[in-house]
Amino acid sequence: MRAGTNENMSSPGKPASLNDFDMVLFGGGGDLAMRKLLPALYALSGNKVWPAGARIICVGRHDWTLEQYLEAVEQNARPNLASGTFSEERWQAFRSRFSYVSVDAADAGSYHSLTKVLRTEEAITRVFYLATPPSLFATICQNLAGNGLANAQSRVVLEKPLGRDLDSARQINLQVGKVFAESQIYRIDHYLGKEAVQNLLALRFGNILFEPLWRREWISDVQITIAEQIGVGNRMGYYEPSGALRDMLQNHLLQLLCIVAMEPPVSVTADAVRDEKLQVLRSLRRFTPHTLVQNVVRGQYRSGHVNGVQVPGYRQEPDAQPNSRTETFVAVKAEIDTWRWAGVPFYLRTGKRMADSLAEIVIRFKSIPHSIFAQPVGSFQPNSLVIRLQPNEGLHLNLMAKTPGDGMRLKPVDLELDFRETFKKPRMEAYERLLLDVLRGHLTLFMRSDELEQAWEWVEPILLFWEQDENEPVPYASGTWGPAAASALIGRDGLQWREETLPEV
Ligand code: BG6
């Protein structure tokens, strides 16, 4: 039986106060909790909307005392607090909100210790955050229901990866859906919580300027890059069976593509936005084995230099398999079959151990049709709009302008909007914003079940093809922009990836 339905609200502009809550963190001792979730909750604890009785109940496998758990928090979470936010008084107040409960997620009988600590008043929001492997999602939800813990005030947060293919994602949706209504399920893609992504919505739908140009008649191509200098580090256990496609393309890159390409939603309510994103995913052209070979590149990093430091190749990382075929880089040319986007390629790429760490969206406009100046058309750099997600969130609009002095000589100039400079307000980290939205019951920045399944459906042919492909991922040296095949992919269309590093602000 399902637990009931919360109000399906969306993110409005006005901050609302929070109900008192019990935040139950499954995987509370894990890497994500220590690196992101607890620091985000600490940041929220300084927010005026934070309720006086809020509690954080960490669930883990270890038979720890609260003191032992808090020691782990001290060691592993405290160093990750946003800089300049630490105060002893606030930290002690934050610590005082914790409980630790030892539960074997797969053993229904062990949940009684959780039952004992949860408050039962109707006014208390109950959040189950599942920062565990997805293979446990269904079991945990069943056990919560079996122990009567999933009530109408409950919300469940599912951390990515949400499955490893279409079938497993469907199973998760089905099983979790038996316990929780869709309006109680928060599927996280932390890229949607990034400030610049929401600014993209503001740019597109808060201005008249771009929307008329936001289409095939004026846009030549779109590039979306998420490049990381870090390697796989100590996450081999997770990364080796996943790879860049499951880790980044199926979720973060596709979500960014949806925000760029969707039709104007009628409002920012959850279903209005998610309906439009779903249409984009449905319109993505499916790959066949033939088109896949031409339009998808996978790579794997070898040793090299990143920022002048020698780093090992993927196969030499701790716990690596010597003949691993896991991709650490993927580049795709995607096409959207709609009236708005027909013929406009969307080039997506992501990789680890790249030359730079950045995430950006580049909208390139078409060339001018004719030059009235003494310069040939080819000397006019087509206008482009760069939406920089990180670092240095901002917008860059590239225009042609006359150089000072005699004569009419035009050259490209950059109109720049730096969000941090412009809004001198502290920013919210993605997890902080998303946790706040969960607590407020705002679903707009979370994925709906049908979106998730569509995204898997689109990547599935690539996964199946790679499983049978005799070719290995193309090697690339660490500290570069990925394999040459990725440059060739876009080069075939007479284009180049934008690889100029913007100056530090
Ligand atoms: C996570 C991936 O979802 O996103 C990681 O699992 C990746 O592999 C990370 O490093 C990147 O996020 P961000 O916010 O640092 O760009």
Side-chain angles (χ1 to χ4, degrees), residues 54 73 114 149 196 230 232 278 310 327 330 340 385 388 471:
V73 172
L114 184 55
L149 296 175
I230 53 166
V232 70
L278 179 65
Q310 169 85 39
E327 78 288 354
V330 59
R340 187 188 283 264
L385 175 68
R388 178 58 85 103
N471 298 310

Side-chain angles (χ1 to χ4, degrees), residues 18-85:
L18 293 179
N19 281 349
D20 222 347
F21 64 83
D22 280 349
M23 168 76 66
V24 183
L25 282 182
F26 279 84
D31 180 62
L32 183 77
M34 296 295 173
R35 269 188 315 114
K36 299 283 186 192
L37 305 180
L38 296 180
L41 285 168
Y42 172 76
L44 280 179
S45 73
N47 192 312
K48 1 185 220 310
V49 298
W50 179 267
R55 297 190 327 162
I56 302 164
I57 299 152
C58 291
V59 177
R61 276 169 303 154
H62 303 288
D63 200 10
W64 279 341
T65 61
L66 176 60
E67 274 317 305
Q68 283 171 313
Y69 178 69
L70 286 174
E71 187 49 39
V73 172
E74 204 70 42
Q75 305 265 320
N76 304 320
R78 185 167 150 177
N80 295 315
L81 304 186
S83 69
T85 61

Side-chain angles (χ1 to χ4, degrees), residues 35-36 159-160 190-191 194 226-228 230-231 235 238-239 247-248 251-252 352 359 390 430-431:
R35 269 188 315 114
K36 299 283 186 192
E159 188 45 68
K160 90 168 235 300
H190 79 276
Y191 263 68
K194 290 188 189 267
I226 306 177
E228 297 181 284
I230 53 166
R235 297 171 74 218
Y238 155 73
Y239 200 85
D247 188 44
M248 301 291 284
N251 33 73
H252 304 327
K352 298 223 181 268
Q390 58 196 33
Y431 272 100

